[in-house]
Amino acid sequence: MEQKAELLEKLCTDEAVCFIADRHNVGSQQLLQNFFARGEEYIHLEPNEVEILKGLSSAAEDDAVTNDINNIYL
């Protein structure tokens, strides 16, 4: 659970996430929470915005897993 909170916090400060959130007049945390909970239908996101958010969340999750593995073995 703590990892998800850290992941959300990291993504909230991402420049692309902030841009998309600003474009839709919502906060970055609100955008991400609703995107993960309800998908793109909550806010009518453009297809490229959906792909950006999916890609960023996937990359951040991969980075978190890599960091956890490195911490175990270091």
Side-chain angles (χ1 to χ4, degrees), residues 2-73:
E2 186 176 322
Q3 285 180 337
K4 287 190 179 194
E6 290 174 11
L7 177 65
L8 184 63
E9 186 177 323
K10 183 177 180 179
L11 286 174
C12 282
T13 60
D14 184 87
E15 188 175 332
V17 172
C18 291
F19 177 80
I20 294 169
D22 187 51
R23 190 171 174 280
H24 293 278
N25 298 315
V26 296
S28 57
Q29 187 171 8
Q30 181 184 6
L31 171 72
L32 291 171
Q33 286 176 336
N34 286 299
F35 177 75
F36 293 134
R38 301 180 193 165
E40 59 266 20
E41 67 233 17
Y42 167 70
I43 298 175
H44 299 291
L45 299 172
E46 298 292 327
N48 65 321
E49 294 173 329
V50 172
E51 292 306 313
I52 290 168
L53 293 175
K54 285 180 180 178
L56 287 171
S57 62
S58 177
E61 286 175 2
D62 291 346
D63 186 45
V65 169
T66 301
N67 287 340
D68 286 346
I69 291 170
N70 287 339
N71 288 338
I72 290 169
Y73 293 109

